[in-house]
Amino acid sequence: MDWLDHVRWDAQGLVPVIAQEAGTGDVLMFAWMNREALARTAELGEAVYYSRSRQRLWHKGEESGHTQKVHEIRLDCDQDVVLLKVTQLGHEPGIACHTGRHSCFFERLDGGRWTAVDPVLKDPASIYQ
């Protein structure tokens, strides 16, 4: 059986993906993959996602240079969520978020309001030109 057949793809042929930093355990981002993106990720050893807004494959870092080296690809117990254990490359410390932050999960609920708690490491205007 093809290993891709083991994944429970949704009605649009997608699976949710969580990227976790291998060294720290930080959750960096959430994205989607289709069958081709997951196959390319396994083949390249770098994260390739499916952009629902652009309707195409998106090699993480193709514009920013902030690529993700994939160390492990895991599938959850229901076979419907993929976990990538990655090293975030292209800047030190690693920038995974298009806002120039280490993680896309930079807002915390404090007293009934969302507060940005992680710093911008690099101005997004200088990343995406």
Side-chain angles (χ1 to χ4, degrees), residues 30-51:
F30 168 86
W32 297 91
M33 286 184 175
N34 64 8
R35 192 178 183 93
E36 183 182 3
L38 185 54
R40 294 279 297 147
T41 296
E43 175 188 327
L44 294 174
E46 290 188 354
V48 177
Y49 298 106
Y50 181 78
S51 171

Side-chain angles (χ1 to χ4, degrees), residues 20-26 71 86-87:
Q20 180 183 37
E21 195 167 47
T24 64
D26 290 349
H71 300 283
V86 304
T87 297

Side-chain angles (χ1 to χ4, degrees), residues 105-119:
F105 297 94
F106 61 86
E107 290 188 277
R108 181 176 65 210
L109 185 61
D110 287 327
R113 64 183 342 178
W114 293 105
T115 304
V117 295
D118 294 336

Side-chain angles (χ1 to χ4, degrees), residues 113-128:
R113 64 183 342 178
W114 293 105
T115 304
V117 295
D118 294 336
V120 173
L121 300 173
K122 189 170 184 182
D123 180 0
S126 70
I127 298 171
Y128 304 99

Side-chain angles (χ1 to χ4, degrees), residues 48-67:
V48 177
Y49 298 106
Y50 181 78
S51 171
R52 296 181 303 162
S53 61
R54 298 179 222 156
Q55 297 288 298
R56 67 171 181 83
L57 293 185
W58 157 50
H59 188 155
K60 176 69 173 153
E62 67 188 26
E63 292 178 28
S64 67
H66 302 149
T67 59

